[in-house]
Amino acid sequence: MYDIHLILRNTPGELAGMGSLLKRHGISLEGGGVFTVGNESHAHFLVEDGDKARIVLEAEGFRVQTVCQPLIRKLQQDRPGELGAIAAALSAAGVNILTQYSDHANQLILVTDHPAAADQATRLWAVSPG
């Protein structure tokens, strides 16, 4: 899975156009969100094929900021304080969280400034294979 960071124009229909374009190319969004600051909307979405998503979006004039492999972790939903605990573990390792959201399977998606250190610091929350 890949996190794709887009800068969208803060205008009606921009997100609809992006979604329709991805649909036409068989690209599904597995989680993410959009946050607006001024005249720009920063969108982070989880996609299976980051390279394909970038190519499709850029070909139609969308501004792709980055594509990267995020850290995917699973918080124990029935235990209060899980997000704080994982954030504290990352902080103790000197890792800054750049982006945080959830996917459709309620997994925590993190983009950090030091992926290898983040991976090591959060092994307790690692997603079990299949």
Side-chain angles (χ1 to χ4, degrees):
M1 289 291 186
Y2 292 87
D3 172 84
I4 186 162
H5 176 194
L6 302 150
I7 308 295
L8 301 173
R9 291 174 295 149
N10 186 16
T11 59
E14 184 80 347
L15 185 61
M18 183 212 72
S20 295
L21 174 64
L22 293 176
K23 177 186 175 189
R24 284 194 308 274
H25 290 272
I27 299 169
S28 178
L29 301 177
E30 303 303 324
V34 179
F35 311 92
T36 300
V37 179
N39 290 323
E40 291 183 335
S41 296
H42 290 260
H44 280 266
F45 289 107
L46 194 64
V47 296
E48 194 166 310
D49 187 337
D51 290 333
K52 180 179 178 182
R54 176 194 293 271
I55 290 165
V56 165
L57 289 163
E58 287 181 342
E60 292 296 319
F62 284 93
R63 194 167 122 202
V64 177
Q65 194 74 11
T66 60
V67 176
C68 68
Q69 282 192 298
L71 188 65
I72 301 175
R73 295 296 187 242
K74 184 68 176 171
L75 302 180
Q76 291 182 355
Q77 299 297 317
D78 60 342
R79 210 169 97 189
E82 283 284 280
L83 181 59
I86 200 168
L90 289 166
S91 176
V95 175
N96 191 30
I97 299 169
L98 304 174
T99 304
Q100 177 266 310
Y101 58 93
S102 297
D103 70 2
H104 295 159
N106 294 318
Q107 296 178 118
L108 184 67
I109 308 303
L110 296 165
V111 177
T112 69
D113 62 348
H114 295 293
D119 182 53
Q120 283 296 113
T122 61
R123 291 287 172 152
L124 181 63
W125 295 274
V127 177
S128 300

